[in-house]
Amino acid sequence: MRTHGTTRQHTVVDSPYGSLTLVATGGALSGLYMTDQRHRPPEESFGERVPPEEEPFAETVRQLVEYFAGERTDFELPLHLNGTPFQREVWDGLLRIPYGETRTYGELAADLGRPQASRAVGLANGKNPIGIVVPCHRVVGANGSLTGYGGGLDRKRRLLDLETGGAEAVEALF
């Protein structure tokens, strides 16, 4: 499938958090979707399916395996984040939240220079197309509670536990 002159491809891999659908646009990662994820685009928009060991996915899979094993704290991948300017601003803010730390929606809004925009930040956070790599799971409610995660609160808790040492790192099933 070609979208605005750019080739889209996808692959599906197993992980400790269930199947992950990886989508690339023009060779850059543009989607990482979990099974039953809220705001998941229709499958037919993902483009041609290719094996996970082929580019552009081999490097993404390698880094995800390292992350799930507790050996990687940052991803170094080309990203294609398609959203409004405000959404991209929020997603860039997510990339600045360090591994093993959390921020509230209000703190993230303040970090972006928009202290009154915590609800808008929450909505943009929920539309993040590249879960895990763009760490929307690191954002919590004002009182530190787990709130809204497109992949489900159980997965959010497990990802946070992985990053804070509250759970054993696991080998990915790739």
Side-chain angles (χ1 to χ4, degrees):
M1 171 182 209
R2 295 181 72 75
T3 305
H4 306 299
T6 304
T7 302
R8 288 184 63 117
Q9 299 172 296
H10 80 282
T11 196
V12 178
V13 296
D14 288 328
S15 83
Y17 302 89
S19 292
L20 303 177
T21 300
L22 308 176
V23 180
T25 302
L29 187 65
S30 59
L32 188 156
Y33 302 103
M34 299 175 189
T35 306
D36 301 322
Q37 180 170 332
R38 196 173 0 138
H39 304 300
R40 180 184 168 108
E43 194 82 19
E44 56 271 11
S45 71
F46 295 156
E48 174 189 10
R49 185 170 178 165
V50 298
E53 61 274 2
E54 288 186 13
E55 291 304 329
F57 299 110
E59 182 61 18
T60 301
V61 169
R62 184 183 72 76
Q63 290 188 31
L64 284 168
V65 168
E66 293 172 353
Y67 172 80
F68 294 135
E71 300 167 356
R72 174 173 288 278
T73 60
D74 269 325
F75 291 92
E76 298 169 5
L77 298 166
L79 302 178
H80 178 90
L81 288 162
N82 187 25
T84 67
F86 179 73
Q87 287 172 329
R88 288 193 310 270
E89 182 182 349
V90 170
W91 301 335
D92 285 343
L94 295 173
L95 290 167
R96 291 189 295 273
I97 302 173
Y99 179 91
E101 295 184 21
T102 59
R103 298 288 182 275
T104 67
Y105 295 100
E107 288 170 335
L108 183 54
D111 289 348
L112 298 174
R114 301 170 182 256
Q116 303 303 316
S118 61
R119 290 189 75 165
V121 164
L123 291 172
N125 189 54
K127 296 273 181 131
N128 171 23
I130 308 178
I132 301 172
V133 173
V134 178
C136 53
H137 60 277
R138 296 180 188 157
V139 183
V140 297
N143 63 358
S145 64
L146 296 189
T147 60
Y149 184 61
L153 292 182
D154 178 61
R155 286 185 182 129
K156 182 173 186 164
R157 165 56 49 216
R158 290 176 58 210
L159 288 165
L160 291 172
D161 284 349
L162 171 68
E163 293 187 7
T164 59
E168 299 247 347
V170 293
E171 267 191 56
L173 306 174
F174 305 117

